[in-house]
Amino acid sequence: SLPVRSSLHVTSSLHAMSPRLPSSRPHPPFSRWRAASPLVGCRSSVRLITASAEETELSERIRVYSRKRIRPVTLKQFTDHAKGLIAGDCPSEAALVSTRYLSTELPVRLAHAIKELETLPSLLRSNENTKQVLEWYKRSFQEMVQLEEAFGASSWDEKEELDRALADFSDKIDMVHRRHASTVMTLALGVEEYKRQLRIVPPNIDKQLDHFLDRFFMSRIGLRTLISQHLALYTDNSSSTGTIDEECDVRQVILDAAQHATQLVRDYYGMSADVTVVGCFACFPYIPSHLVRTTAANNHI
């Protein structure tokens, strides 16, 4: 039987540095050239200190957001919101409700994911693939915080102004969605490289890594589902209920996932095992893409 979850737990100004004039004290021989030209190296020092201050400020902001609680959204809330549009709710007002929720929720979820990545062993964190994933999350976090501040302090007198702001928000979260498309593959490569670099393999390392990856990828599914649902309702217009299939055929979803996995195995190894799906399956409202990922995770596909 497959676990079905209806709730998606799916997170200075610097004073300008003035060059010091040479002091009256004698300089060591190797520093005479600096004393002769006090401006040498000043700009690079400012850049380094500014970068350090920005990183410190970013880390502190991530820490603050990571302490906020994630607000889960249920499938019923998703479908009720979508059905409200069908019933005649003003699209701009409904989109604004969704946008305000996402603008405050996405930074929190991103911050939680960043903190998860920062708890990894130092050897794994220093891996280029892991560093790339962490950089993606930090960049997305910064962008979403800017959007949160923009929407929190804005009001619109004209419908056209609101529509432009909503469209801009959708474009920004779509960019975030695309940026993280290869997160799974990139992080998996990082984990594999980390395991090859280990001279002494700690006990239960596979179990610990699996536990981390399960948590991290479930969090990622929640993030992508929130963004995908908003984009499906307010930009794609491909479905009246967004990413949700109100009559999701579980058996067919499993068969499709098995067929895809079998083809991948056959392409890589030249052969594959047959997959048989047995049992009775009901149809119910769910997100097919989420169910595919859950099926793959539970069966190590």
Side-chain angles (χ1 to χ4, degrees):
S1 61
L2 294 174
V4 177
R5 301 181 182 180
S6 61
S7 181
L8 299 176
H9 294 275
V10 176
T11 158
S12 60
S13 65
L14 291 176
H15 296 291
M17 292 184 62
S18 301
R20 295 184 179 180
L21 295 175
S23 66
S24 58
R25 292 178 297 177
H27 292 276
F30 60 83
S31 65
R32 285 178 182 169
W33 65 277
R34 292 184 181 275
S37 179
L39 290 177
V40 173
C42 181
R43 290 183 180 178
S44 60
S45 298
V46 172
R47 284 196 298 268
L48 288 172
I49 294 176
T50 302
S52 177
E54 289 174 352
E55 290 173 3
T56 301
E57 182 180 355
L58 175 60
S59 297
E60 175 61 20
R61 185 162 260 186
I62 291 171
R63 185 189 67 81
V64 171
Y65 275 80
S66 67
R67 291 189 171 186
K68 296 182 180 182
R69 294 184 61 182
I70 289 175
R71 295 176 294 168
V73 181
T74 64
L75 286 177
K76 185 177 186 305
Q77 288 173 309
F78 271 146
T79 53
D80 286 350
H81 182 79
K83 288 177 179 177
L85 288 173
I86 300 173
D89 288 354
C90 176
S92 294
E93 292 181 3
L96 182 58
V97 170
S98 178
T99 297
R100 288 197 185 280
Y101 168 74
L102 291 183
S103 67
T104 57
E105 182 66 14
L106 292 181
V108 175
R109 294 184 181 235
L110 288 165
H112 278 262
I114 291 169
K115 281 300 183 182
E116 285 279 357
L117 289 168
E118 290 179 341
T119 62
L120 292 172
S122 58
L123 182 60
L124 180 52
R125 284 203 313 273
S126 63
N127 180 283
E128 287 302 319
N129 290 295
T130 309
K131 287 166 65 176
Q132 178 63 77
V133 172
L134 185 56
E135 178 60 29
W136 286 336
Y137 272 85
K138 286 184 176 181
R139 184 176 175 184
S140 296
F141 172 80
Q142 289 176 295
E143 292 174 357
M144 291 310 307
V145 167
Q146 291 172 357
L147 285 175
E148 178 189 21
E149 292 171 348
F151 269 86
S154 299
S155 59
W156 300 270
D157 297 326
E158 300 292 335
K159 182 179 181 299
E160 289 75 12
E161 293 179 2
L162 174 59
D163 289 342
R164 282 196 298 270
L166 293 174
D168 181 63
F169 179 85
S170 294
D171 289 342
K172 294 289 177 58
I173 64 173
D174 183 45
M175 186 168 58
V176 169
H177 193 267
R178 294 174 186 274
R179 177 182 298 139
H180 295 269
S182 59
T183 292
V184 173
M185 182 62 69
T186 306
L187 192 55
L189 290 172
V191 170
E192 287 302 313
E193 185 175 340
Y194 164 72
K195 291 166 71 174
R196 287 195 300 269
Q197 291 174 335
L198 289 175
R199 295 182 179 179
I200 301 176
V201 180
N204 299 324
I205 184 64
D206 288 333
K207 184 177 181 180
Q208 293 171 6
L209 287 173
D210 284 347
H211 182 60
F212 161 76
L213 291 173
D214 285 346
R215 258 193 348 265
F216 184 81
F217 289 147
M218 286 302 294
S219 168
R220 178 178 180 273
I221 289 172
L223 270 167
R224 294 182 71 80
T225 299
L226 289 176
I227 294 175
S228 297
Q229 178 70 3
H230 181 91
L231 294 176
L233 285 177
Y234 300 110
T235 62
D236 297 342
N237 297 318
S238 57
S239 169
S240 60
T241 55
T243 58
I244 300 171
D245 182 354
E246 293 193 280
E247 292 293 331
C248 181
D249 187 340
V250 179
R251 181 184 181 85
Q252 189 59 50
V253 170
I254 296 173
L255 285 172
D256 291 343
Q259 182 179 2
H260 178 65
T262 300
Q263 186 61 50
L264 289 175
V265 172
R266 187 179 297 118
D267 291 344
Y268 190 84
Y269 294 103
M271 62 180 69
S272 63
D274 294 331
V275 177
T276 303
V277 180
V278 297
C280 298
F281 298 89
C283 294
F284 51 83
Y286 209 68
I287 303 172
S289 59
H290 183 194
L291 188 56
V292 168
R293 296 186 184 98
T294 304
T295 304
N298 287 342
N299 293 278
H300 306 287
I301 295 176

